[in-house]
């Protein structure tokens, strides 16, 4: 004897409609957005630290970088630690005839800073371990800045979430921010996003007439400092800032119908 199953479509539609209305509430939507972004951030970090066991040198039982250039930055960090934060005038391990100096980028200093911070919580932390984690840390910080940058530019937090997810898993960016790839790309992109975010905030507020010349000057000054950090982190990547920022002013000047930025 078979039992007849009746489906109340009206009730199902009502339940679906109630669920959608519940998710549309601003507070619930924001909580869901934060949860999804934290999941994206957590997954991105977890993906990037999966190779840590493969970076252990069996002879020293310590971590080694993933590529060749990071070895040079690690050596600078080791020199900083050995000389109390001061680099000698000449790098004796390079071609001495030319009296070579050291890289002016701030990556080695950030590695030492991470190392000192981690030692507060675990005294057995090594400089090599802090070095291989450097790109992952700046990836996480950079992703947060990237999310807010996309949010401000698109004025849609869900688009910002999707963009952050794509950046998290895109292969070229994934490789350059893996644990052990302690080169200047990760910290350089962090500073790049920071400069663009501060510049965008100042520009958007100025366009809406919500700020004064004094406040916009503060935004410009802070974004200039961020641009200097980008140069010190990765000179090659920072060059794009000097193409994007002036071009944005030019586009706004041509597309503004009623008022120009100079009218405020």
């Amino acid at each position: 004897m078979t039992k007849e199953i009746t489906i109340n479509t009206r009730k199902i539609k009502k339940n679906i409609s109630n669920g959608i209305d519940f998710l549309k509430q601003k507070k619930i939507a924001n909580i869901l957005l934060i949860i999804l972004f934290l999941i994206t951030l957590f997954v991105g970090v977890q993906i990037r630290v999966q190779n840590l066991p493969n970076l252990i040198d069996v002879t020293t039982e310590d971590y080694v970088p993933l590529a060749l250039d990071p070895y040079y930055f690690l050596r600078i960090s080791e020199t900083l630690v050995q000389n109390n934060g001061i680099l000698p005038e000449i790098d004796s391990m390079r071609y001495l005839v030319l009296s070579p100096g050291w890289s002016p980028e701030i990556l080695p200093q950030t590695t030492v800073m991470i190392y000192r911070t981690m030692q507060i919580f675990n005294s057995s932390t090594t400089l090599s371990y802090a070095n291989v984690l450097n790109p992952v840390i700046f990836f996480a910080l950079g992703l947060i800045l990237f999310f807010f940058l996309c949010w401000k530019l698109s004025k849609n937090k869900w688009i910002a979430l999707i963009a952050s997810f794509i950046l998290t898993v895109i292969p070229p960016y994934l490789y350059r921010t893996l644990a052990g790839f302690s080169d200047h790309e990760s910290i350089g992109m962090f500073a790049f996003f920071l400069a663009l975010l501060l510049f965008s905030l100042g520009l958007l507020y100025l366009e809406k007439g919500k700020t004064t010349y004094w406040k916009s000057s503060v935004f410009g000054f802070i974004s200039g400092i961020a641009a200097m950090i980008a140069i010190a982190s990765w000179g090659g990547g920072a060059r794009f800032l000097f193409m994007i920022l002036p071009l944005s002013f030019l586009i706004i000047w041509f597309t503004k119908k009623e008022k120009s930025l100079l009218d405020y």
Side-chain angles (χ1 to χ4, degrees), residues 60-88:
T60 62
E61 296 185 355
D62 204 353
Y63 292 89
V64 293
L66 183 63
L68 294 178
D69 286 351
Y71 274 97
Y72 171 62
F73 290 112
L74 175 59
R75 185 166 66 82
I76 298 177
S77 298
E78 291 172 343
T79 307
L80 286 169
V81 172
Q82 294 168 2
N83 292 274
N84 297 319
I86 300 175
L87 290 173

Side-chain angles (χ1 to χ4, degrees), residues 199-217 219 249 252 256 259-264:
F199 176 78
S200 300
L201 287 174
L203 199 60
L204 289 172
Y205 285 132
L206 188 62
E207 282 187 83
K208 294 177 181 178
K210 292 183 178 180
T211 186
T212 62
Y213 280 119
W214 183 83
K215 290 182 180 179
S216 62
S217 298
F219 271 109
F249 274 119
I252 291 173
K256 196 73 174 176
K259 292 182 178 180
S260 70
L261 291 174
L262 298 177
D263 294 329
Y264 289 110

